[in-house]
Amino acid sequence: MRTATHTGENAPADAPEGKRRGTGALSGVLSAGLTLGVGQLVAGIVSPSAAPLVVVGAAVVDRVPAELKDFAIRTFGAHDKVVLLATIAVLVTLLAALAGVLARRRLAVGVGLVGALGLVGVLAAATRPDATPLSPLPSVLGAGAGAYALTVLTRRLAGPALGATGGPRRRAVLLGGTAVAAAATGGAGQLLVTTRSAEDSRAGVVLPAPADPAPPLPAGLDPADALASGLTTYATRTADFYRVDTALVVPDVRAEDWSLRVHGLVDRELTLSFDDVLAMPLRERWITLTCVSNEVGGSYVGTARWLGYPLAELLERAGVRAGADMLYATSTDGFTLSTPLAEATDGRDAMLVVGMNGEPLPREHGFPVRLVVPGLYGYVSACKWVTDLEVTRFADKTAYWTDRGWAAKGPIKTASRIDVPRSFAKLRAGRVPVAGVAWAQHRGISAVEVRVDEGEWRPAKVLPSASEDTWCQWVYDWDASEPGNHTVQVRAVDGTGEPQTDVVAAPIPDGSSGYDSVSVTVE
């Protein structure tokens, strides 16, 4: 009779090598699944932002070069966070499979690799700006569960029964049970996150009528023929408004739990609740926001009706001391930005915002409270989920993006975009509407010009706008009578008479520049 032999905790010697490796890899992957599942469950109790995948992803975001972040935003747009988390998940899966294969030969090595992955999560959680003593717990308990599962699976699936009659059934029970446990813990954790969501808090918020309402939009906006061709609407729907931030998990902040501390170089430190802000005389304004990552002709720009309390009045209540030149804002997730104090207090509609387009802020856009400062790119002006405002000096502190090579103050550059026609469009010869938007927040747009094939610049019709803090729409009637390929370009002139620069620049470090253009074919 032939007897199977074993080396330590290996599978039976007569089992096919490929099958042993496959079983080991699957054991490792399922153990990793349990690691993430248990981590998600504990994070659902402790804090959603402490989940292992999230803290590791956040650490990656914080440490990669600015150029790589800009590439991710440019390439994947609003899906950049999903792509990052999926990439990390794939990498974890591959390493977990390797851990399972190694464990079949030497258990301590495989379990050690799982422990190392857990340590990465612990270190990432412990070094987050918003870390608490409990932040590493999801990674610690998750790694412990994964290491235990890998140990059990390796030992039990490597025994003599693997080749016995009951082996396949036992293997299915062990592997299936681990998979179910991973799915159950992960699902329960996600359920906890959902039930703790601030959405119910947001649903209960009733915004007061503004003491200073936004003026009605002027007549003549959104020409029907241009809109039908693809011109961007003047007012951006909330659902269509761009989102660019560093939060892999949208912060879950209930209005009832929110507070804002105003401190630093002030005479009187202030602490405000959400109800305190709602009780103040609120101002409503149309304002266009722009992301510094926006490429020439890009879509990271939008106009909304914002409701909030003027920052200048808030800071006047606190009493700003001489020598201060910066407002250092901190989000509930630890993100920081630095706003020039002059721009926050010079009379423009810089606000502590609670409403967007007539509703409480969506969670993705900063519920319950965020900042909006016209004329500055969002990375220095539009802190979402803001919870702390420190009046300080640029010489004393630097913020998140400034530490990563971006300019400290970020005034928005004059820009224009062609919405219609689209590049590579095939057009019938005749009159063709060329249309788009242009912006130079807090300076306004005085003129827009269009040229074809680098010919003479010709004036476009600039449609009215609500204020100099918003973009404007423009339309140019092109006589496209000459068949063939053509290039159409646009440039704007701001309210001070300064034309848009033709110097081509990437978004880093202080915003992109250059003329937007489209290539079309007239048939």
Side-chain angles (χ1 to χ4, degrees):
M1 178 181 295
R2 186 168 179 258
T3 303
T5 60
H6 304 274
T7 303
E9 291 158 334
N10 288 352
D14 57 352
E17 179 65 20
K19 186 173 184 179
R20 293 203 304 272
R21 290 180 177 174
T23 301
L26 182 57
S27 298
V29 170
L30 292 178
S31 298
L34 187 61
T35 294
L36 299 179
V38 170
Q40 182 67 38
L41 177 60
V42 179
I45 300 170
V46 174
S47 169
S49 62
L53 267 185
V54 173
V55 294
V56 172
V60 172
V61 170
D62 288 347
R63 289 164 176 79
V64 298
E67 291 81 4
L68 186 56
K69 291 180 187 176
D70 188 60
F71 169 78
I73 293 171
R74 185 171 64 252
T75 305
F76 304 112
H79 304 294
D80 60 334
K81 298 171 181 63
V82 175
V83 171
L84 172 62
L85 291 175
T87 301
I88 294 174
V90 169
L91 181 60
V92 168
T93 299
L94 294 174
L95 291 174
L98 176 62
V101 172
L102 294 174
R104 303 291 295 181
R105 297 195 173 278
R106 191 166 183 180
L107 182 59
V109 175
V111 172
L113 181 53
V114 172
L117 293 175
L119 181 61
V120 171
V122 169
L123 292 175
T127 55
R128 287 290 299 154
D130 58 341
T132 70
L134 294 179
S135 295
L137 193 60
S139 294
V140 170
L141 296 182
Y148 176 77
L150 183 59
T151 300
V152 171
L153 290 174
T154 299
R155 285 176 172 169
R156 295 192 178 181
L157 294 181
L162 185 65
T165 303
R169 179 177 299 176
R170 184 176 72 170
R171 181 166 53 246
V173 169
L174 287 171
L175 296 175
T178 304
V180 169
T185 52
Q190 187 57 43
L191 182 62
L192 282 174
V193 171
T194 302
T195 55
R196 287 180 54 191
S197 172
E199 286 298 340
D200 60 335
S201 174
R202 179 178 179 272
V205 171
V206 178
L207 295 177
D212 184 3
L217 293 179
L221 301 177
D222 299 338
D225 55 343
L227 285 182
S229 301
L231 173 64
T232 300
T233 57
Y234 182 82
T236 307
R237 292 193 317 145
T238 302
D240 298 332
F241 208 92
Y242 77 91
R243 178 194 167 197
V244 177
D245 53 57
T246 63
L248 293 182
V249 172
V250 177
D252 192 75
V253 186
R254 295 176 60 83
E256 300 86 339
D257 303 328
W258 178 86
S259 66
L260 176 71
R261 181 188 178 206
V262 183
H263 63 108
L265 297 176
V266 296
D267 296 329
R268 295 167 295 278
E269 184 171 318
L270 304 177
T271 300
L272 303 177
S273 69
F274 188 70
D275 286 340
D276 290 335
V277 178
L278 293 190
M280 295 173 176
L282 302 183
R283 177 181 298 176
E284 185 181 55
R285 291 292 185 269
W286 290 98
I287 298 173
T288 298
L289 299 189
T290 309
C291 179
V292 71
S293 295
N294 201 42
E295 294 278 350
V296 172
S299 60
Y300 294 137
V301 56
T303 299
R305 183 162 45 94
W306 306 96
L307 176 70
Y309 184 66
L311 278 177
E313 295 181 19
L314 177 65
L315 294 172
E316 184 179 0
R317 291 176 56 185
V320 176
R321 294 178 184 170
D325 63 1
M326 185 235 280
L327 191 61
Y328 189 82
T330 303
S331 166
T332 188
D333 65 351
F335 174 80
T336 59
L337 63 75
S338 54
T339 302
L341 192 60
E343 278 76 359
T345 58
D346 66 359
R348 70 184 69 194
D349 291 311
M351 296 188 291
L352 191 65
V353 167
V354 295
M356 180 180 185
N357 290 334
E359 297 182 347
L361 286 169
R363 286 182 59 211
E364 293 80 3
H365 292 291
F367 180 82
V369 182
R370 68 174 294 167
L371 298 183
V372 168
V373 181
L376 302 177
Y377 287 116
Y379 81 106
V380 296
S381 69
C383 185
K384 302 177 185 176
W385 316 288
V386 64
T387 190
D388 188 279
L389 291 177
E390 180 183 358
V391 179
T392 182
R393 291 182 285 257
F394 280 100
D396 297 335
K397 302 196 79 164
T398 55
Y400 183 93
W401 287 114
T402 323
D403 289 337
R404 288 157 177 80
W406 295 78
K409 298 185 178 181
I412 292 176
K413 298 177 180 180
T414 302
S416 53
R417 186 181 76 199
I418 299 173
D419 290 340
V420 292
R422 303 291 187 186
S423 259
F424 310 116
K426 296 184 183 300
L427 310 173
R428 291 184 179 179
R431 311 301 297 190
V432 173
V434 180
V437 289
W439 58 90
Q441 290 92 308
H442 207 59
R443 301 186 304 280
I445 295 294
S446 61
V448 174
E449 298 175 318
V450 174
R451 71 178 179 184
V452 179
D453 298 331
E454 298 193 0
E456 181 182 350
W457 287 105
R458 298 187 179 277
K461 178 182 180 182
V462 178
L463 303 184
S465 58
S467 76
E468 63 184 11
D469 288 334
T470 69
W471 59 12
C472 67
Q473 298 170 312
W474 57 267
V475 179
Y476 174 71
D477 186 30
W478 175 32
D479 181 12
S481 57
E482 184 178 341
N485 298 325
H486 300 280
T487 299
V488 183
Q489 291 179 297
V490 64
R491 72 177 181 184
V493 180
D494 73 12
T496 71
E498 186 70 23
Q500 176 182 344
T501 180
D502 62 348
V503 176
V504 177
I508 300 171
D510 60 354
S512 64
S513 65
Y515 297 154
D516 189 26
S517 65
V518 295
S519 297
V520 298
T521 301
V522 175
E523 298 179 330

